[in-house]
């Protein structure tokens, strides 16, 4: 099947079987590899992208269900002020270790800050609990979300 | 630990084009195997003055790229933030791990320890050559010139190092360049946050081996035997043929699985799911976890295989029998998977010269070369390795069987060898795929005198050997004893008279492997919970009790005591109570000393980890913030697995399959982590792993303080509820 997808401000044509997770369309067909495969069962959050601005797990989102939604991946996160602030905070605090989960962490953190501009630790923990980091960078993730909040406050 | 000498590191230099490449062949006791005087670059200077460090260790989050770059930047008097890095190619003759002999590999928390002199020396030599080139050009004495921030100046002139590249390459390499005095260091020890791999990992541009896409490549998923020792009899791929993108399937030559080839990853997974395989399980593992545990217990009931420290076992037993207080305890540790965030994968491609190139987060590039040489019948020199970021490894990307490299290479060998082949594991493959931290059962008896001094310690471990039967057996097994089975017991910092350490090798139910901190991942738990029990039985404060058993006149004892006291002070050890319960543990591993204090509270009768305070002595702290990050992460690793991590078997098959039932640490599990570094002028020691061993026992000891419950079987959730 041929699908038209709107991703990172561009419109792209892809051929994929119905039932193909958006994750594999993004990675294998569109070759945007910043979005990661971690578990395939929406249990780790490494594949988090935005659909019309809302974080979703792309491994459990199917190509035929996307329709007209705008997809945003980590590669375009900086185009948005919240995304830019989150990335800046991640850099300031040297959050990353192996880095493999961090695209998903950042995409989730952007969702959190759009919903709750000044989250406390509990709100961060609740929102980010679906994003696994095996390097356990969690403490810095918490601090970076709060730092991004400060950056956005100006 | 062998000392590193910089004498002999510098052999010669080569110029290639506009890039000055400095090459050194390590020699001496640590690298006797490096017979070939081959030129090897550790840094490059480009015509525009850009300096690139060539990093010989895998960057999998532990900070090796930043660390080695820091050493080069320091000696070139430049900012860490201005240096670039790239990964070294496969060449064990010069990029070998100086602590491993003739092997290019990352592991054992050795990246900084083995590179500290080598990379500083490389940077210093480059500095002297560049200055010599300027001095020659200007006809002045080199002593009158200085290099800073890529500019050489003096005698009223200045020039970019980029302009000197050609001339510098013609200079003799100084045999023993002058290293900067530590008092002049601006980058080593700098607390800046300047990870060299940070920005790529934030903007989605970092290339992990999972991200490799080569034209015309086939993606392979493998249907593996669900029980160790199972062999393929036949397979039926008729249903797989309905999957669009499926190419073909073939049984691996070793019979351990069927390779399913497809046009893309999803098709490979789908087709693999659609495959049916008939297995011969006649020689396969058939035990369940309870039976394996019963077997371990039977071994502890019997005579040990090895008297590890040649102790007079009868005398030690008699001492303990006659002691004022005798403690007796058994400890159980389950199998654990590494499960790095990036599921295992690698790609191989044919080269025009008949060789191959791997694209791999290669923990041991030498292993890639050996595997390809053997399976493809080519020479190791024909095997290139493009090292990419690893999405975590924790030991998983290298093991005695080179498991995924063998799979990938066999799968490639079965094709016509004209197209690249990419092997991708799913998370289910990872969780069920073996090479686990081994199960272990410990039985300990401790005798205390009236004054609360340990007078006898009897310790018997039953666990399968990691190293026996592996290519590393000769290095790691002495008189039958696999050091990784018992490290951290008799060789720790405590002064314990009358120790009898015994080991029995258990029969493997799965493949086993080193896993972040290896044997220390279980031995430290036993040592530190037993010390706590002994303190309690003696009525002595746990910190004081430990200090009583550390000889502060010894190097080991004083360094352990120092971190213990520092962690206790920073954690507010003296102010327990008011709902705060603190547990402590201290351990030495990879020549690094770490003490951790875990603070918990018990809301709704559950355990909540509020704070962990750590004190670290890892010698010279090259990148203090990376060290802090590693300890933060290692604490999470240690505690997370102790809380919930467990791989079990049912009739030989792994029960767990993915994160929902191999539940990782999550963000809410630990409140805060506070890491303190002890200043030191000693050579750097390990930091990727040493934070893990004390973490779980510190938590266990806090739980005992809060609830009176001593957890001696892991994971803790079998007997404890954690706050959610």
């Amino acid at each position: 099947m041929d699908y038209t997808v709107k991703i990172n401000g561009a419109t792209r044509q892809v051929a994929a079987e119905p039932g193909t997770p958006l994750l594999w369309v993004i990675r294998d067909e569109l070759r945007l590899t910043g979005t990661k495969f971690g578990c395939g069962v929406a249990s780790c959050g490494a594949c988090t992208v935005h659909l019309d601005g809302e974080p979703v797990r792309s491994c459990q989102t199917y190509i035929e269900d996307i329709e007209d939604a705008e997809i945003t991946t980590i590669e375009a996160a900086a185009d948005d002020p919240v995304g830019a602030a989150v990335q800046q905070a991640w850099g300031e605090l040297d959050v990353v270790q192996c880095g493999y989960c961090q695209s998903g962490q950042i995409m989730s953190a952007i969702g959190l800050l759009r919903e709750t501009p000044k989250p406390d630790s509990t709100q961060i923990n609740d929102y980010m609990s679906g994003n696994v980091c095996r390097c356990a960078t969690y403490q810095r993730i918490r601090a970076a979300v709060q730092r991004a909040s400060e950056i956005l406050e100006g | 630990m062998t000392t590193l000498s910089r004498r002999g590191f510098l052999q010669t230099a080569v110029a290639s084009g506009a890039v000055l490449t400095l090459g050194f062949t390590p020699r001496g006791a640590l690298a006797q195997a490096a017979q070939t005087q081959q030129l090897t670059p550790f840094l490059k200077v480009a015509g525009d003055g850009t300096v690139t460090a060539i990093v010989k260790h895998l960057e999998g989050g532990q900070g090796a790229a930043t660390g080695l770059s820091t050493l080069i930047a320091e000696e070139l008097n430049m900012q860490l933030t201005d240096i670039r890095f790239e990964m070294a190619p496969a060449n064990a003759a010069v990029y070998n791990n100086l602590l491993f002999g003739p092997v290019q590999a990352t592991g054992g928390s050795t990246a900084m320890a083995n590179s500290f002199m080598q990379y500083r020396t490389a940077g210093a030599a480059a500095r002297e050559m560049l200055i010599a080139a300027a001095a020659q050009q200007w006809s002045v004495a080199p002593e009158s010139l200085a290099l800073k921030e890529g500019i050489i100046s003096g005698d009223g002139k200045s020039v970019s190092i980029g302009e000197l590249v050609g001339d510098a390459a013609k200079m003799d390499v100084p045999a023993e360049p002058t290293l900067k005095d530590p008092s002049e260091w601006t980058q080593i020890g700098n607390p800046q946050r300047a990870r060299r791999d940070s920005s790529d990992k934030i903007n989605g541009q970092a290339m992990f081996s999972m991200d490799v896409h080569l034209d015309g490549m086939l993606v392979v998923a493998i249907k593996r035997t669900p029980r160790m020792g199972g062999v393929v009899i036949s397979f039926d791929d008729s249903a797989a043929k309905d999957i669009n993108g499926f190419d073909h399937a073939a049984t691996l030559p070793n019979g351990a699985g069927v390779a399913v080839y497809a046009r893309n990853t999803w098709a490979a997974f789908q087709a693999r799911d659609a495959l049916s395989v008939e297995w011969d399980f006649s020689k396969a593992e058939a035990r369940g976890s309870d039976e394996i545990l019963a077997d371990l217990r039977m071994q502890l009931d019997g005579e040990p295989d090895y008297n590890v420290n040649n102790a007079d076992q009868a005398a030690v037993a008699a001492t303990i029998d006659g002691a004022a207080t005798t403690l007796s305890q058994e400890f159980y540790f389950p199998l654990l998977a590494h499960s790095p965030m990036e599921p295992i994968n690698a790609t191989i491609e044919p080269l025009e010269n008949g060789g191959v190139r791997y694209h791999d987060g290669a923990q041991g590039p030498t292993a890639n070369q050996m595997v390809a040489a053997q399976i493809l019948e080519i020479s190791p020199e024909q095997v290139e390795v493009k090292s990419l970021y690893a999405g975590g490894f924790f030991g998983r990307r290298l093991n005695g069987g080179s498991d995924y490299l063998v799979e990938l290479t066999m799968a490639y060998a079965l094709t016509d060898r004209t197209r690249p082949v990419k092997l991708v594991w799913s998370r289910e493959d990872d969780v069920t795929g073996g090479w686990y931290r081994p199960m272990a059962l410990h039985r300990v008896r401790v005798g205390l005198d009236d004054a609360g001094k340990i007078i006898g310690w009897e310790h018997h471990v039953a666990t399968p050997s990691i190293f026996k039967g592996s290519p590393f057996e000769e290095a790691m097994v002495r008189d039958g004893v696999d050091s990784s089975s018992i490290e951290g017991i008799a060789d720790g910092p405590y002064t314990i008279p009358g120790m009898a350490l015994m080991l029995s090798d258990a029969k493997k139910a799965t493949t086993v492997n080193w896993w972040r901190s290896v044997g220390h991942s279980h031995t430290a738990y036993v040592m530190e919970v037993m010390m706590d029990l002994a303190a309690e039985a003696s009525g002595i404060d746990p910190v004081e009790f430990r200090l009583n058993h550390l000889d502060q006149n010894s190097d080991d004892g004083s360094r352990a005591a120092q971190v213990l006291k520092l962690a206790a002070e920073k954690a507010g050890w003296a102010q327990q109570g008011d709902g705060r319960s603190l547990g402590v543990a201290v351990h030495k591993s990879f020549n690094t000393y770490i003490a951790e204090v875990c603070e918990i509270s018990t809301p709704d009768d559950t355990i909540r980890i509020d704070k962990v305070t750590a004190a670290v002595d890892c010698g010279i702290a090259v990148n203090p913030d990376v060290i802090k990050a590693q300890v933060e992460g290692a604490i999470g690793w240690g505690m997370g697995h102790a809380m919930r991590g467990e791989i079990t078997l049912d009739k030989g098959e792994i029960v767990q399959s993915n994160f929902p039932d191999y539940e990782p640490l999550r963000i809410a599990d630990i409140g805060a982590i506070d890491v303190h570094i002890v200043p030191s002028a000693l050579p750097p020691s390990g930091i990727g792993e040493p934070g893990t061993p004390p973490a779980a026992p510190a938590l266990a000891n806090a739980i005992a303080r809060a609830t009176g419950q001593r957890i001696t079987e892991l994971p803790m959730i079998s007997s404890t509820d954690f706050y959610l």
Side-chain angles (χ1 to χ4, degrees):
Chain A
M1 285 276 293
D2 286 332
Y3 293 92
T4 301
V5 294
K6 291 193 269 183
I7 184 161
N8 298 339
T11 301
R12 305 269 301 264
Q13 304 294 323
V14 289
E17 293 303 302
T20 303
L22 176 60
L23 167 68
W24 294 112
V25 174
I26 291 172
R27 287 184 55 80
D28 280 2
E29 307 305 323
L30 299 172
R31 309 273 167 84
L32 292 167
T33 53
T35 302
K36 300 304 186 196
F37 165 54
C39 71
V41 297
S43 184
C44 79
C47 67
T48 305
V49 299
H50 292 178
L51 272 195
D52 288 335
E54 290 286 325
V56 298
R57 306 299 187 223
S58 64
C59 75
Q60 293 295 315
T61 304
Y62 300 97
I63 184 64
E64 65 272 23
D65 298 330
I66 306 298
E67 298 181 341
D68 278 343
E70 294 268 359
I71 305 159
T72 310
T73 68
I74 186 69
E75 286 86 352
D79 296 347
D80 167 87
V82 179
V86 169
Q87 287 178 316
Q88 181 190 331
W90 247 246
E92 285 179 13
L93 295 176
D94 261 3
V95 171
V96 309
Q97 289 186 29
C98 90
Y100 194 82
C101 74
Q102 298 294 349
S103 298
Q105 302 280 1
I106 287 168
M107 297 311 282
S108 288
I110 295 168
L112 163 61
L113 287 169
R114 281 187 185 145
E115 198 178 291
T116 312
K118 291 186 70 175
D120 63 22
S121 288
T122 305
Q123 287 169 313
I124 296 171
N125 285 349
D126 288 349
Y127 196 94
M128 301 294 291
S129 67
N131 285 81
V132 171
C133 174
R134 292 289 283 167
C135 301
T137 63
Y138 297 124
Q139 149 151 312
R140 292 185 188 222
I141 288 172
R142 244 184 333 253
V145 169
Q146 290 182 323
R147 173 68 190 128
S149 171
E150 281 172 24
I151 293 168
L152 287 164
E153 269 197 330
Chain B
M1 194 172 133
T2 323
T3 53
L4 300 177
S5 161
R6 74 193 153 93
R7 185 190 299 277
F9 277 6
L10 306 188
Q11 297 302 317
T12 184
V14 279
S16 75
V19 176
L20 164 66
T21 322
L22 292 174
F24 311 105
T25 301
R27 285 196 316 195
L30 291 171
Q32 281 166 347
Q35 298 294 337
T36 333
Q37 299 295 313
Q38 196 173 337
L39 307 182
T40 315
F42 289 96
L43 71 95
K44 298 192 290 193
V45 181
D48 67 356
T50 304
V51 178
T52 303
I54 314 278
V55 173
K56 68 175 185 173
H57 286 290
L58 173 62
E59 178 54 72
Q62 83 283 31
T66 301
L68 303 194
S69 297
T70 302
L71 305 177
I72 300 283
E74 182 66 73
E75 291 294 340
L76 286 175
N77 292 325
M78 61 186 290
Q79 302 293 317
L80 172 59
T81 45
D82 290 337
I83 197 168
R84 300 180 185 185
F85 77 92
E86 61 185 46
M87 307 313 290
N91 185 347
V94 272
Y95 290 126
N96 63 320
N97 185 319
L98 300 181
L99 296 171
F100 290 179
V103 177
Q104 184 179 356
T106 301
S109 293
T110 58
M112 182 53 74
N114 94 97
S115 306
F116 187 60
M117 291 301 291
Q118 188 177 42
Y119 274 71
R120 286 168 68 205
T121 305
R127 165 169 37 81
E128 293 191 359
M129 293 165 76
L130 289 160
I131 287 176
Q136 196 175 63
Q137 211 171 77
W138 298 337
S139 301
V140 298
E143 294 74 35
S144 66
L145 303 178
L147 166 63
K148 194 168 167 54
E149 311 287 349
I151 304 289
I152 292 175
S153 54
D155 196 35
K157 304 189 187 74
S158 67
V159 61
S160 156
I161 56 172
E163 291 180 38
L164 294 166
V165 165
D167 288 345
K170 294 174 195 149
M171 296 288 150
D172 289 336
V173 178
E176 288 190 45
T178 305
L179 299 183
K180 285 173 72 176
D181 188 84
S183 64
E184 297 169 356
W185 285 345
T186 63
Q187 303 304 300
I188 295 174
N190 189 319
Q192 64 189 325
R193 287 178 166 154
R195 280 191 76 111
R196 305 318 299 133
D197 52 347
S198 180
S199 63
D200 279 356
K201 291 175 174 180
I202 290 169
N203 63 24
Q205 297 304 315
M207 275 292 288
F208 297 83
S209 59
M210 186 67 94
D211 302 331
V212 169
H213 183 97
L214 301 175
D215 286 342
M217 76 179 186
L218 288 167
V219 179
V220 168
I222 292 177
K223 182 97 167 174
R224 285 174 202 82
T225 170
R227 291 158 56 184
M228 190 174 72
V231 177
V232 177
I233 297 170
S234 64
F235 68 84
D236 175 1
D237 64 355
S238 49
K241 287 173 177 156
D242 294 336
I243 306 292
N244 199 352
F246 169 69
D247 196 272
H248 71 286
T251 302
L252 294 176
N254 65 359
V258 179
V260 178
Y261 302 76
R263 193 185 67 78
N264 60 43
T265 319
W266 180 242
F269 285 170
Q270 294 281 97
R272 190 254 305 263
D273 286 350
L275 196 75
S276 55
V277 180
E278 190 186 345
W279 300 97
D280 173 4
F281 287 131
S282 59
K283 290 180 180 147
E285 178 62 48
R287 292 175 293 168
S289 289
D290 290 346
E291 291 160 279
I292 298 163
L293 174 58
D295 287 348
L296 292 174
R297 199 161 271 144
M298 201 154 65
Q299 286 191 286
L300 292 188
D301 288 341
E303 285 297 307
D305 293 347
Y306 305 103
N307 178 349
V308 176
N309 62 346
N310 297 312
D312 183 341
Q313 292 170 16
V316 171
T319 302
I320 296 169
D321 290 340
T325 307
T326 299
L327 303 168
S328 182
Q329 191 60 56
E330 187 177 279
F331 294 84
Y332 168 71
F333 302 89
L335 293 166
L336 292 169
H338 307 67
S339 296
M341 280 309 296
E342 180 187 14
I344 291 296
N345 66 85
T347 301
I348 188 169
E349 64 169 322
L351 299 177
E352 280 182 10
N353 66 6
V356 291
R357 178 186 294 130
Y358 288 95
H359 301 254
D360 185 18
Q363 200 184 337
T366 304
N368 296 59
Q369 294 183 305
M370 301 311 286
V371 166
Q374 200 176 344
I375 295 174
L376 303 174
E377 296 179 333
I378 56 179
S379 75
E381 292 73 30
Q382 288 176 284
V383 182
E384 295 180 17
V385 179
K386 177 145 181 60
S387 276
L388 298 161
Y389 286 125
F393 58 107
F394 316 114
R396 182 62 183 86
R397 294 189 76 95
L398 181 65
N399 55 55
S402 295
D403 66 331
Y404 73 92
L405 294 174
V406 168
E407 280 185 350
L408 168 65
T409 311
M410 287 192 304
Y412 170 74
L414 289 172
T415 67
D416 63 7
R417 308 185 189 187
T418 61
R419 302 169 68 176
V421 173
K422 179 180 186 178
L423 169 71
V424 181
W425 286 34
S426 65
R427 179 59 60 194
E428 289 80 5
D429 292 328
D430 164 71
V431 171
T432 61
W435 301 100
Y436 305 118
R437 195 286 301 272
M439 281 170 83
L441 195 69
H442 292 231
R443 202 173 285 164
V444 188
R445 288 204 310 144
V446 173
L448 295 155
D449 68 13
D450 285 333
K453 274 278 193 182
I454 297 169
I455 53 171
W457 186 294
E458 187 183 77
H459 198 139
H460 188 178
V461 182
T463 189
S465 166
I466 293 169
F467 284 96
K468 285 185 184 176
S470 84
F472 316 99
E473 176 166 352
E474 202 177 311
M476 297 301 290
V477 179
R478 290 277 180 278
D479 299 327
V481 175
D482 180 338
S483 58
S484 75
S485 298
I486 42 81
E487 59 189 357
I489 298 174
D491 54 346
Y494 292 121
T495 303
I496 298 175
M499 178 176 274
L501 175 55
M502 295 155 282
L503 171 66
S504 293
D505 287 337
K507 179 172 172 272
K508 287 173 193 170
T510 67
T511 46
V512 295
N513 196 27
W514 40 81
W515 178 99
R516 196 176 195 172
S517 81
V518 201
H520 299 281
S521 69
H522 51 96
T523 60
Y525 190 91
V526 175
M527 296 306 290
E528 286 303 285
V529 171
M530 282 310 296
M531 290 301 282
D532 229 59
L533 277 163
E536 185 180 67
S538 308
I540 299 174
D541 173 83
V543 170
E544 189 187 335
F545 183 86
R546 284 171 172 80
L547 289 171
N548 292 344
H549 290 86
L550 291 169
D551 174 5
Q552 299 200 37
N553 294 315
S554 76
D555 183 55
D556 252 4
S558 64
R559 293 179 76 180
Q562 188 178 19
V563 293
L564 178 58
K565 285 188 276 192
L566 181 60
E569 177 208 321
K570 297 289 184 185
W573 179 262
Q575 296 89 45
Q576 301 225 29
D578 289 338
R580 298 170 76 229
S581 298
L582 276 59
V584 67
V586 59
H587 193 74
K588 173 195 178 186
S589 60
F590 309 95
N591 295 311
T592 288
Y593 303 77
I594 301 192
E596 290 166 14
V597 175
C598 178
E599 176 180 336
I600 63 167
S601 54
T602 54
D604 309 324
D605 290 328
T606 64
I607 303 297
R608 186 175 68 195
I609 303 170
D610 296 313
K611 188 176 179 187
V612 184
T613 306
V616 185
D617 174 357
C618 59
I620 293 164
V622 175
N623 302 109
D625 193 64
V626 172
I627 289 167
K628 288 182 179 179
Q630 282 306 293
V631 175
E632 291 163 13
I635 288 169
W637 184 261
M639 289 192 180
H641 290 93
M643 289 162 74
R644 291 190 284 261
E646 181 177 34
I647 295 290
T648 58
L649 287 88
D650 180 23
K651 298 186 180 67
E653 282 193 40
I654 304 302
V655 172
Q656 293 73 20
S657 65
N658 200 321
F659 289 139
D661 52 11
Y662 187 64
E663 179 58 37
L665 185 86
R666 290 184 187 266
I667 192 168
D669 286 324
I670 299 178
I673 301 176
D674 185 22
V675 181
H676 301 268
I677 300 171
V678 173
S680 173
L682 294 168
S685 47
I687 200 58
E689 299 171 87
T692 287
L699 170 59
N701 292 337
I703 293 171
R705 175 73 74 113
T707 68
Q709 182 195 7
R710 287 285 172 187
I711 300 175
T712 55
E713 284 183 29
L714 297 185
M716 293 172 170
I717 40 153
S718 313
S719 57
T720 305
D721 290 328
F722 289 94
Y723 185 79
L724 288 174

